Amino acid sequence: MLYFSCDYAEGCHPKVLEELTKTNMVSTQGYGEDEFCDAAKAKIKEYINCPEADIYFLVGGTQTNQVVIASMLSDYDGVIAAETGHVAAHEAGAIEYSGHKVITIPQHEGKIAPDELKNYLQVFYADANHEHMVNPGMVYISYPTEYGTLYTKQELEAISAICNEYKIPLFIDGARLAYGLAAADDMTMADIAKLSDVFYIGGTKVGALFGEAVIFTKGNTPKHMITQIKLHGALLAKGRLLGVQFGALFTDDLYMKMGKNAVDMANIIKEDLLSKNYQLYMENPTNQIFVIMENSKLEAFGKEVAYGFWEKYDDNHTVIRIATSWATTKEDVNELRKVL
Amino acid sequence: MLYFSCDYAEGCHPKVLEELTKTNMVSTQGYGEDEFCDAAKAKIKEYINCPEADIYFLVGGTQTNQVVIASMLSDYDGVIAAETGHVAAHEAGAIEYSGHKVITIPQHEGKIAPDELKNYLQVFYADANHEHMVNPGMVYISYPTEYGTLYTKQELEAISAICNEYKIPLFIDGARLAYGLAAADDMTMADIAKLSDVFYIGGTKVGALFGEAVIFTKGNTPKHMITQIKLHGALLAKGRLLGVQFGALFTDDLYMKMGKNAVDMANIIKEDLLSKNYQLYMENPTNQIFVIMENSKLEAFGKEVAYGFWEKYDDNHTVIRIATSWATTKEDVNELRKVL
Amino acid sequence: MLYFSCDYAEGCHPKVLEELTKTNMVSTQGYGEDEFCDAAKAKIKEYINCPEADIYFLVGGTQTNQVVIASMLSDYDGVIAAETGHVAAHEAGAIEYSGHKVITIPQHEGKIAPDELKNYLQVFYADANHEHMVNPGMVYISYPTEYGTLYTKQELEAISAICNEYKIPLFIDGARLAYGLAAADDMTMADIAKLSDVFYIGGTKVGALFGEAVIFTKGNTPKHMITQIKLHGALLAKGRLLGVQFGALFTDDLYMKMGKNAVDMANIIKEDLLSKNYQLYMENPTNQIFVIMENSKLEAFGKEVAYGFWEKYDDNHTVIRIATSWATTKEDVNELRKVL
Amino acid sequence: MLYFSCDYAEGCHPKVLEELTKTNMVSTQGYGEDEFCDAAKAKIKEYINCPEADIYFLVGGTQTNQVVIASMLSDYDGVIAAETGHVAAHEAGAIEYSGHKVITIPQHEGKIAPDELKNYLQVFYADANHEHMVNPGMVYISYPTEYGTLYTKQELEAISAICNEYKIPLFIDGARLAYGLAAADDMTMADIAKLSDVFYIGGTKVGALFGEAVIFTKGNTPKHMITQIKLHGALLAKGRLLGVQFGALFTDDLYMKMGKNAVDMANIIKEDLLSKNYQLYMENPTNQIFVIMENSKLEAFGKEVAYGFWEKYDDNHTVIRIATSWATTKEDVNELRKVL
């Protein structure tokens, strides 16, 4: 069986496992107060060129979104997101469970449009009844988006400027950050740090067993952050596991190399698909490929390839997702070719 | 100053005040365990022809929506509503504050379309990842809607049937129920009771000082309802005040007479508006009139008439709301005519 | 039947009803933005000698406690209270429902001891693991307490000083404030304002139909307070009803006169009880009398007098509560005497 | 430096690491729907002799307590626990954050007394006002307790019987279950399964990198459990990591062997302490040793041994915790001996 269903089907990159193994019997303090976490934070700060960054390691993506959003918002605040944003659509209501509304605005290939964001805020404040409505207290975007698309630098600068104008933090969900940056020709992780107020570097989908690094970039860490993480049940006892893993990811540029591998493999597959006249549901430059497949072909295909169901396209077609990852090899891609 | 800004600008109907005055020094048990509440419940049950109804009196609309929705939903549930539904748009996130997502579907003149509701549910259950999404645990509609429009009986039956099919309770917000039923030619309060699983009869906007009567119509009262009301801070110590008021509202058909007055007055105003070539933003048969006014006229108009700002229409026009109520008199309407 | 079960068994003081009646058909803005609320706030500010006070009117006590505590605390905060504090024991978990722990410390006749409060805070901050515990973010006391007892001025000053030292707001629940101040010889409402960061003046139990006036005394109103009130379902549409009532309560010293009546009546009853060799469960100078009654007498007694069950004392005795109020008359007291 | 501060200072048992390494590049489904999870569940079910068990793997202890409690309780419910219970004292308010009160009853060496539990429930239901209080919806105990003590089988049977009588689920927190069972002479994991309604087998503190196995023992899994786990941010993407680890823990009796090692090592230390006239703060048969140390000795001791601060004993003494674990060796114990 070929696995192209998602980018978290395997364990971790061998280098990460090597570090976990090497450090396994070292005794440390719990809860992230250890030397491995300290070292990993230092590496990340340098990599993103942001010495004032304050970094917390968490376990998973939904958890990270819930913790970051709830800890930065007040009770009266909601978070603005694209209607297709992960927090709006696929987190089982984790944000609402923490008491906050996800205020949705339209998506365009998974992205919010700066002018529509600005318009939302203008209309909100112009409404004489706005104190009876949820206060827009944060903007959430994902880079890359849930459709694998990327904001241009200009778009991100525009969104960042609007957030500054309205004094609303901009939160960038980087669950697949490596796959976005590897595909972008105009964006670095330092740019992400500069343009956001808080973002996270996804490890779970990029070569770690698990782990997301949350970075408050502007001296804006919420108070009692450890207590806040704990009350969400998100404080890992053996926090050192996160430090060890992120230390490995940020050694010898491993994180970005893994990102590049996934994008390279995806590009080969896309070319192949187009040459074979498959229709893409939505184009994007990153590691997720959305293809429209005939239902009649899907059963056979599914016996050889694990793919992701995305949505029904019409009565005879389905949109499926083929995802590459840090773990995808040329051999995998060649095998897939034979089946396509 | 003429008041047409809303339907809660005055105190209560004189008959209601009379009853409050008459019973003022009677000593009773607290928290609604009194004879006035018992009597009012009996009257309502008879009026809606629903002997198995279980009735709770609450103070206000947002409170009622929060209590009903939170007490009927489980943690994993959200409530489906029109994107313009009061719970979605104008309750400051009270539903999300109680932990539940408001799942919005499109509105058509304030109403949800039965086929779109059905489609939402079908797509949801067809999605292999639906356990990662908020479970649709209730359908919320308002009768009349926030735009003063009314579901036809056929539409309501269709929605009710879909809810039955999916075993999801249908909750009808009747904050302005009297104004809806007075304008409808095909619907009675007994129909509302029959077609819903829970609904409320609004008092605040229809002649009470305050108060909403929540009615569980199918033997489906959530467990420990008193405790649930209390934990929302919604248990009125002098619950008898609600019993006394609803007793008055349901004596001599007062509730429906007040509804009729508001609709009659609104109809006169609408005729006048059309005869003077004003453009209505959206037509509806109930007590709220949405008119498109030239901004140049609004300032002068606003000095004589308290109206409701609704939304910007274009650079030169604004949508305003003129609301009649149980308290609107022919004299008020005649005065308004002179100004229009 | 004689009613001594609680202090909220009747409607409202005739003067309050008179004002409600007089203003009933006046049209006003909703949600407390009306001239009656403005006037009542001005009267209260003057009475408490606190020009910088910021005042919000809410409907009931549990609601007020939930709104005040939740709006002042951050997610990581809990509120310290006596184990018998209303928020800890008798509000159905309304504080926890809003996400915050009630941190209980021992009670002594319903009061917390300043040195035990200080000790709690010292031990907390000395604990190296305190970031894994709920942050003490507020101190809640009631005046009078749930047992009708009163803090001395010295005790209140000591608690206030500790709160200042630890930069924790002190919240005083004044659900029965009039009954406390009428019995105290060393405390005024201005003292309460000076020593607290936020407190409320109870109307529900002191002659209003309903209503509590929340007063932020130190320029410390939480942001977006209207939005916060609304998201708890606590924003009364006809807010003017609260303004009208509190306006009446603070005219001609009515509030304090009602307080004095209840205390005077309670004192007569207490004297009578002692002269008849009844044993008081706990002495207090305010309007609630806790008496130990033989179970064998209770049934007959209960047929003539509505009293409050407090708790089982032993197999043959029960602690009951006899409460006087603004509405208790000498005739009521004389009747009670005959039965005792 | 000798590490005796806690039982989660190292990574995982070599056998666990070996399995993680061996399976690292295997591709699987996400979210625990993989063959490793299936196999581990089968092993556990057999081990606890409970074929109807339904098992979910989570990451950490506080998370597990929050998810289990919130998913089993209704809004109106709280959970009864000892005042020293982990959920009451050291989880940063995670339970309250999910909306539920922790109802505390006295602790006796970390345990609740069956008769005091019964009395609490009797008094609660005898109180005429109990609908105004938090409903007792679950009993939480830890085995071993936070003080390392153990309920006897008789005590556990009594608590279980009370829970059955009142139809309240009994939840046993087994964060250190192996250390408890290894020290008990009258209890097996099958007994724990039989006597509880839900319990968890702690992995984090017993040789896993992380992981807790939640077991619903009576066909009583809450509805939509996956959605509930997800909305707490607790659904691990690479769920297989938990399956692989628990598979290893339940192979060749590894889990219980690790438990025995910790207890054996603790016994040697305890003997040594007593022979050297140290005073134990509280005796217990498991892996945590609470010793009263002179402050004057502590500084030097702390330079050689990482220990846990527990609490101040008096001005000259401190209670410290020395914890052994699966990873503690005889060499470690000998080194410690030299320092004591």
Side-chain angles (χ1 to χ4, degrees):
Chain A
M1 186 71 143
L2 281 168
Y3 260 81
F4 283 94
S5 55
C6 67
D7 34 22
Y8 43 92
E10 293 79 27
C12 62
H13 190 281
K15 296 264 187 194
V16 174
L17 187 58
E18 192 183 313
E19 289 303 312
L20 286 169
T21 303
K22 203 192 309 179
T23 60
N24 187 54
M25 293 308 291
V26 179
S27 301
T28 67
Q29 291 265 57
Y31 307 113
E33 298 180 358
D34 62 85
E35 57 273 25
F36 301 114
C37 285
D38 289 349
K41 289 177 188 177
K43 283 185 180 184
I44 292 174
K45 280 194 219 186
E46 200 190 330
Y47 185 77
I48 63 172
N49 192 23
C50 182
E52 67 277 25
D54 194 23
I55 303 180
Y56 294 82
F57 297 119
L58 297 173
V59 169
T62 295
Q63 179 184 81
T64 299
N65 286 332
Q66 191 189 55
V67 169
V68 170
I69 291 170
S71 65
M72 294 193 81
L73 295 189
S74 294
D75 285 2
Y76 47 77
D77 285 324
V79 55
I80 299 175
E83 56 198 341
T84 47
H86 209 248
V87 293
H90 287 97
E91 298 193 342
I95 305 308
E96 291 82 1
Y97 188 68
S98 74
H100 301 284
K101 187 183 187 75
V102 181
I103 304 163
T104 51
I105 61 174
Q107 59 89 17
H108 306 280
E109 305 203 327
K111 299 190 285 180
I112 60 172
D115 57 336
E116 290 179 358
L117 171 62
K118 178 139 195 177
N119 185 57
Y120 177 85
L121 291 165
Q122 282 174 335
V123 168
F124 178 85
Y125 285 109
D127 188 331
N129 300 316
H130 69 77
E131 285 283 329
H132 293 235
M133 296 160 71
V134 177
N135 193 61
M138 177 185 259
V139 173
Y140 164 96
I141 61 173
S142 37
Y143 187 93
T145 71
E146 293 69 18
Y147 285 100
T149 52
L150 295 176
Y151 289 88
T152 64
K153 196 172 210 172
Q154 202 179 357
E155 287 170 336
L156 214 54
E157 284 171 346
I159 291 170
S160 183
I162 294 164
C163 288
N164 281 338
E165 185 188 341
Y166 283 90
K167 295 187 172 37
I168 295 174
L170 174 60
F171 171 30
I172 301 180
D173 174 337
R176 294 187 167 96
L177 189 55
Y179 303 140
L181 292 176
D185 46 16
D186 66 343
M187 195 83 68
T188 65
M189 208 183 285
D191 293 328
I192 295 285
K194 213 179 79 184
L195 292 170
S196 69
D197 296 283
V198 55
F199 75 104
Y200 77 88
I201 304 169
T204 298
K205 286 165 178 156
V206 192
L209 288 177
F210 57 87
E212 324 293 320
V214 176
I215 299 158
F216 296 98
T217 62
K218 308 276 189 283
N220 56 344
T221 309
K223 283 190 193 168
H224 295 293
M225 194 62 200
I226 291 298
T227 312
Q228 300 223 42
I229 291 171
K230 180 106 182 169
L231 67 79
H232 286 269
L235 191 62
L236 191 65
K238 299 181 184 176
R240 45 86 76 71
L241 300 173
L242 294 159
V244 168
Q245 292 186 87
F246 272 94
L249 296 184
F250 281 83
T251 297
D252 296 335
D253 212 26
L254 178 61
Y255 190 69
M256 288 308 301
K257 282 178 190 163
M258 290 193 291
K260 190 169 179 320
N261 179 73
V263 170
D264 287 349
M265 295 304 107
N267 284 339
I268 299 174
I269 296 170
K270 280 176 213 172
E271 246 175 76
D272 189 47
L273 283 166
L274 294 174
S275 76
K276 287 172 178 163
N277 293 318
Y278 282 93
Q279 196 188 337
L280 297 186
Y281 176 60
M282 191 178 289
E283 291 208 44
N284 77 57
T286 64
N287 74 313
Q288 300 184 77
I289 308 166
F290 299 95
V291 201
I292 300 168
M293 291 271 277
E294 281 174 47
N295 293 349
S296 55
K297 282 191 187 173
L298 261 186
E299 200 179 345
F301 183 71
K303 278 182 185 154
E304 304 198 55
V305 183
Y307 63 86
F309 166 86
W310 201 252
E311 61 185 69
K312 196 179 152 174
Y313 184 74
D314 61 27
D315 282 352
N316 301 316
H317 296 81
T318 298
V319 180
I320 67 162
R321 182 181 74 172
I322 291 173
T324 61
S325 79
W326 59 276
T328 309
T329 61
K330 284 212 177 133
E331 290 68 41
D332 297 332
V333 170
N334 284 335
E335 288 300 313
L336 179 63
R337 264 181 162 161
K338 293 180 196 161
V339 185
L340 280 170
Chain B
M1 186 71 143
L2 283 168
Y3 261 81
F4 283 94
S5 53
C6 68
D7 34 22
Y8 43 90
E10 292 80 28
C12 62
H13 190 281
K15 296 265 186 194
V16 174
L17 188 58
E18 193 183 311
E19 288 305 310
L20 285 170
T21 302
K22 204 193 308 181
T23 60
N24 187 55
M25 292 309 291
V26 179
S27 300
T28 67
Q29 291 266 56
Y31 307 111
E33 297 179 2
D34 61 86
E35 57 271 29
F36 301 113
C37 285
D38 290 348
K41 289 176 189 179
K43 285 186 177 182
I44 291 173
K45 280 193 220 187
E46 200 189 330
Y47 186 77
I48 63 173
N49 192 24
C50 183
E52 69 276 26
D54 193 24
I55 303 180
Y56 294 84
F57 297 120
L58 297 174
V59 169
T62 296
Q63 179 183 81
T64 299
N65 287 331
Q66 190 190 54
V67 169
V68 170
I69 291 170
S71 65
M72 295 193 80
L73 295 190
S74 293
D75 285 3
Y76 48 78
D77 285 324
V79 54
I80 298 176
E83 56 197 343
T84 47
H86 209 250
V87 294
H90 287 98
E91 298 193 343
I95 306 310
E96 290 83 0
Y97 188 68
S98 74
H100 301 285
K101 186 182 187 75
V102 181
I103 302 163
T104 52
I105 61 174
Q107 59 90 17
H108 305 279
E109 305 204 325
K111 300 190 284 182
I112 61 173
D115 58 337
E116 290 179 357
L117 171 61
K118 178 139 196 178
N119 185 58
Y120 177 83
L121 292 164
Q122 282 175 334
V123 169
F124 178 84
Y125 285 108
D127 188 333
N129 300 313
H130 68 77
E131 286 282 331
H132 292 236
M133 295 160 71
V134 175
N135 193 60
M138 177 185 259
V139 173
Y140 165 98
I141 61 173
S142 36
Y143 187 94
T145 70
E146 293 71 18
Y147 285 100
T149 52
L150 294 176
Y151 288 88
T152 65
K153 196 173 208 173
Q154 202 181 358
E155 286 169 336
L156 214 52
E157 285 171 344
I159 292 171
S160 183
I162 294 164
C163 287
N164 280 338
E165 184 188 342
Y166 283 90
K167 296 189 171 35
I168 295 175
L170 174 60
F171 171 31
I172 301 181
D173 173 339
R176 295 187 167 97
L177 189 55
Y179 304 139
L181 292 175
D185 47 17
D186 65 346
M187 193 84 66
T188 66
M189 209 183 286
D191 293 327
I192 295 285
K194 213 179 77 184
L195 293 170
S196 69
D197 296 282
V198 55
F199 75 103
Y200 76 88
I201 304 169
T204 299
K205 287 165 178 156
V206 192
L209 289 177
F210 56 88
E212 324 294 320
V214 176
I215 299 157
F216 296 98
T217 62
K218 309 276 188 285
N220 56 344
T221 308
K223 282 191 194 167
H224 294 295
M225 195 62 199
I226 291 297
T227 312
Q228 300 224 43
I229 291 171
K230 179 107 182 170
L231 67 79
H232 286 270
L235 192 63
L236 192 65
K238 299 180 183 176
R240 41 88 78 70
L241 300 173
L242 294 159
V244 169
Q245 292 185 85
F246 271 93
L249 295 184
F250 281 82
T251 297
D252 296 336
D253 212 25
L254 178 60
Y255 190 70
M256 288 309 300
K257 282 179 189 162
M258 290 193 290
K260 190 170 181 317
N261 178 72
V263 170
D264 288 349
M265 294 303 108
N267 284 338
I268 300 174
I269 297 171
K270 280 177 213 172
E271 248 175 76
D272 189 47
L273 283 166
L274 293 175
S275 76
K276 287 174 176 160
N277 294 317
Y278 281 91
Q279 196 188 337
L280 297 185
Y281 176 61
M282 192 177 288
E283 291 209 46
N284 77 57
T286 64
N287 73 314
Q288 300 184 78
I289 307 166
F290 299 94
V291 201
I292 300 168
M293 291 270 278
E294 283 174 46
N295 293 348
S296 56
K297 280 190 186 171
L298 262 186
E299 198 179 348
F301 184 71
K303 279 182 184 153
E304 304 196 56
V305 183
Y307 63 86
F309 166 85
W310 202 252
E311 62 184 70
K312 195 179 152 174
Y313 183 73
D314 61 26
D315 283 351
N316 302 316
H317 295 80
T318 299
V319 179
I320 68 164
R321 181 180 75 173
I322 291 173
T324 61
S325 79
W326 58 275
T328 308
T329 62
K330 286 215 177 131
E331 291 68 41
D332 296 332
V333 171
N334 284 335
E335 289 300 312
L336 179 64
R337 264 181 160 161
K338 293 180 194 159
V339 184
L340 280 170
Chain C
M1 186 69 142
L2 281 168
Y3 259 81
F4 283 93
S5 54
C6 67
D7 34 22
Y8 43 89
E10 295 79 27
C12 62
H13 190 280
K15 295 266 186 194
V16 174
L17 188 58
E18 193 183 311
E19 288 303 311
L20 284 171
T21 303
K22 203 193 306 179
T23 60
N24 187 54
M25 292 309 290
V26 178
S27 300
T28 67
Q29 290 267 56
Y31 306 112
E33 298 180 359
D34 62 85
E35 57 272 25
F36 301 114
C37 285
D38 289 348
K41 288 176 189 179
K43 283 184 179 183
I44 292 173
K45 280 193 219 186
E46 199 189 333
Y47 185 77
I48 63 173
N49 192 23
C50 183
E52 67 277 25
D54 193 25
I55 304 179
Y56 293 83
F57 297 119
L58 297 173
V59 169
T62 296
Q63 179 183 81
T64 299
N65 286 332
Q66 190 189 55
V67 169
V68 169
I69 292 170
S71 65
M72 293 192 82
L73 296 189
S74 294
D75 284 2
Y76 48 78
D77 285 324
V79 55
I80 299 176
E83 56 198 343
T84 47
H86 208 250
V87 293
H90 287 97
E91 298 193 343
I95 306 308
E96 290 82 2
Y97 188 68
S98 73
H100 301 285
K101 186 182 187 74
V102 182
I103 303 163
T104 51
I105 61 175
Q107 60 89 15
H108 306 279
E109 305 202 326
K111 300 190 285 182
I112 60 172
D115 58 337
E116 290 180 358
L117 171 62
K118 178 138 195 176
N119 185 57
Y120 178 83
L121 291 165
Q122 282 174 335
V123 168
F124 177 85
Y125 285 108
D127 187 332
N129 300 315
H130 70 75
E131 286 283 330
H132 292 235
M133 296 161 69
V134 177
N135 193 61
M138 178 185 257
V139 173
Y140 164 97
I141 61 173
S142 37
Y143 187 94
T145 71
E146 294 70 19
Y147 285 99
T149 52
L150 294 177
Y151 289 88
T152 64
K153 195 173 210 172
Q154 204 180 355
E155 287 170 335
L156 213 54
E157 284 171 347
I159 291 171
S160 183
I162 295 164
C163 287
N164 280 338
E165 186 188 341
Y166 283 91
K167 297 189 169 36
I168 294 175
L170 173 61
F171 170 31
I172 301 180
D173 174 337
R176 294 186 169 98
L177 189 56
Y179 304 140
L181 292 175
D185 46 17
D186 66 344
M187 194 81 68
T188 66
M189 208 183 286
D191 292 328
I192 295 286
K194 213 179 80 184
L195 293 170
S196 69
D197 296 283
V198 55
F199 75 104
Y200 76 87
I201 304 169
T204 298
K205 286 163 178 157
V206 192
L209 289 176
F210 56 88
E212 323 294 320
V214 176
I215 299 158
F216 295 98
T217 62
K218 307 278 190 283
N220 55 344
T221 309
K223 283 190 195 167
H224 295 293
M225 195 61 199
I226 291 297
T227 312
Q228 300 223 43
I229 292 171
K230 179 107 184 170
L231 66 80
H232 286 269
L235 191 63
L236 192 66
K238 299 181 183 175
R240 44 85 78 71
L241 300 172
L242 294 160
V244 168
Q245 292 185 88
F246 272 93
L249 296 184
F250 281 83
T251 297
D252 296 335
D253 212 25
L254 178 61
Y255 191 70
M256 288 309 301
K257 282 179 190 163
M258 291 193 289
K260 191 170 180 317
N261 178 72
V263 170
D264 288 349
M265 295 304 107
N267 284 339
I268 300 174
I269 298 170
K270 280 176 213 173
E271 249 176 73
D272 188 48
L273 284 165
L274 294 175
S275 76
K276 288 171 177 162
N277 293 319
Y278 282 92
Q279 196 188 338
L280 297 185
Y281 175 61
M282 191 178 291
E283 292 210 43
N284 77 57
T286 64
N287 74 314
Q288 301 184 78
I289 308 167
F290 299 94
V291 201
I292 299 168
M293 292 271 278
E294 283 174 46
N295 293 346
S296 56
K297 282 191 185 170
L298 261 187
E299 198 179 347
F301 183 71
K303 278 183 185 154
E304 305 197 56
V305 183
Y307 63 86
F309 166 87
W310 201 252
E311 60 186 70
K312 196 179 151 174
Y313 184 73
D314 60 26
D315 281 352
N316 302 315
H317 295 82
T318 298
V319 180
I320 67 162
R321 183 181 73 172
I322 292 173
T324 61
S325 78
W326 59 274
T328 308
T329 61
K330 285 213 176 131
E331 290 66 41
D332 297 331
V333 171
N334 285 334
E335 289 301 312
L336 178 63
R337 266 178 157 162
K338 295 179 194 159
V339 186
L340 280 170
Chain D
M1 187 72 143
L2 283 167
Y3 260 82
F4 283 94
S5 53
C6 68
D7 35 21
Y8 43 91
E10 293 78 27
C12 62
H13 190 279
K15 294 266 187 193
V16 174
L17 188 58
E18 193 183 312
E19 288 304 312
L20 286 170
T21 302
K22 203 192 308 179
T23 61
N24 188 55
M25 293 308 293
V26 178
S27 300
T28 68
Q29 290 266 56
Y31 306 112
E33 297 179 1
D34 61 87
E35 58 273 26
F36 302 112
C37 285
D38 290 349
K41 289 177 189 179
K43 285 184 178 185
I44 292 173
K45 281 194 219 186
E46 199 190 331
Y47 186 78
I48 63 175
N49 191 22
C50 184
E52 68 276 27
D54 193 23
I55 304 180
Y56 294 83
F57 297 119
L58 296 173
V59 169
T62 296
Q63 179 184 82
T64 299
N65 286 331
Q66 190 189 55
V67 169
V68 170
I69 292 170
S71 65
M72 294 192 80
L73 296 188
S74 294
D75 284 4
Y76 47 78
D77 285 325
V79 55
I80 299 176
E83 56 198 342
T84 47
H86 209 249
V87 293
H90 288 97
E91 298 192 343
I95 306 309
E96 291 83 0
Y97 188 68
S98 74
H100 302 284
K101 187 182 187 75
V102 181
I103 303 164
T104 52
I105 62 175
Q107 59 89 16
H108 306 279
E109 305 204 325
K111 300 190 285 181
I112 60 172
D115 58 337
E116 290 179 357
L117 170 64
K118 178 140 196 174
N119 185 57
Y120 177 84
L121 291 165
Q122 282 175 334
V123 169
F124 177 85
Y125 285 108
D127 187 332
N129 300 315
H130 69 76
E131 285 282 330
H132 292 236
M133 295 160 71
V134 176
N135 193 61
M138 177 185 260
V139 173
Y140 164 97
I141 61 172
S142 36
Y143 187 93
T145 70
E146 293 71 17
Y147 285 99
T149 53
L150 294 177
Y151 290 87
T152 65
K153 197 172 207 171
Q154 203 180 358
E155 287 169 336
L156 213 52
E157 284 171 347
I159 291 171
S160 183
I162 295 164
C163 288
N164 281 338
E165 185 188 342
Y166 283 91
K167 296 187 172 37
I168 294 175
L170 174 60
F171 170 31
I172 301 181
D173 174 339
R176 294 186 168 97
L177 189 55
Y179 305 139
L181 293 175
D185 46 17
D186 66 345
M187 194 82 66
T188 65
M189 209 183 286
D191 293 328
I192 294 286
K194 212 178 79 183
L195 293 169
S196 69
D197 296 282
V198 55
F199 75 104
Y200 76 88
I201 304 169
T204 299
K205 286 164 178 156
V206 192
L209 289 177
F210 56 88
E212 324 292 322
V214 176
I215 299 157
F216 296 97
T217 62
K218 308 276 188 284
N220 55 345
T221 308
K223 282 190 195 168
H224 294 294
M225 195 60 198
I226 291 297
T227 312
Q228 300 223 43
I229 291 170
K230 178 107 183 170
L231 67 80
H232 285 270
L235 191 62
L236 192 65
K238 299 181 184 176
R240 43 90 73 74
L241 300 173
L242 294 158
V244 169
Q245 293 186 87
F246 272 92
L249 296 182
F250 280 83
T251 297
D252 295 336
D253 212 24
L254 177 60
Y255 191 70
M256 288 308 299
K257 283 178 189 162
M258 292 192 289
K260 190 168 178 321
N261 178 72
V263 170
D264 287 348
M265 295 303 108
N267 284 339
I268 300 174
I269 297 170
K270 279 176 212 171
E271 248 175 75
D272 188 48
L273 284 166
L274 294 174
S275 76
K276 289 174 175 161
N277 293 318
Y278 281 92
Q279 196 189 335
L280 296 185
Y281 176 62
M282 190 177 289
E283 291 208 44
N284 78 58
T286 63
N287 73 315
Q288 301 184 77
I289 308 166
F290 300 94
V291 201
I292 300 168
M293 291 271 276
E294 283 174 46
N295 294 347
S296 56
K297 282 192 186 170
L298 260 186
E299 199 180 345
F301 183 71
K303 279 184 185 152
E304 305 196 55
V305 183
Y307 63 86
F309 166 86
W310 201 253
E311 61 185 70
K312 196 179 153 175
Y313 183 73
D314 61 26
D315 283 352
N316 301 316
H317 296 80
T318 299
V319 180
I320 68 162
R321 182 181 74 173
I322 291 173
T324 61
S325 78
W326 59 274
T328 309
T329 61
K330 285 213 178 133
E331 290 68 41
D332 297 331
V333 171
N334 285 335
E335 289 298 312
L336 179 63
R337 264 178 159 164
K338 295 180 194 161
V339 184
L340 280 170

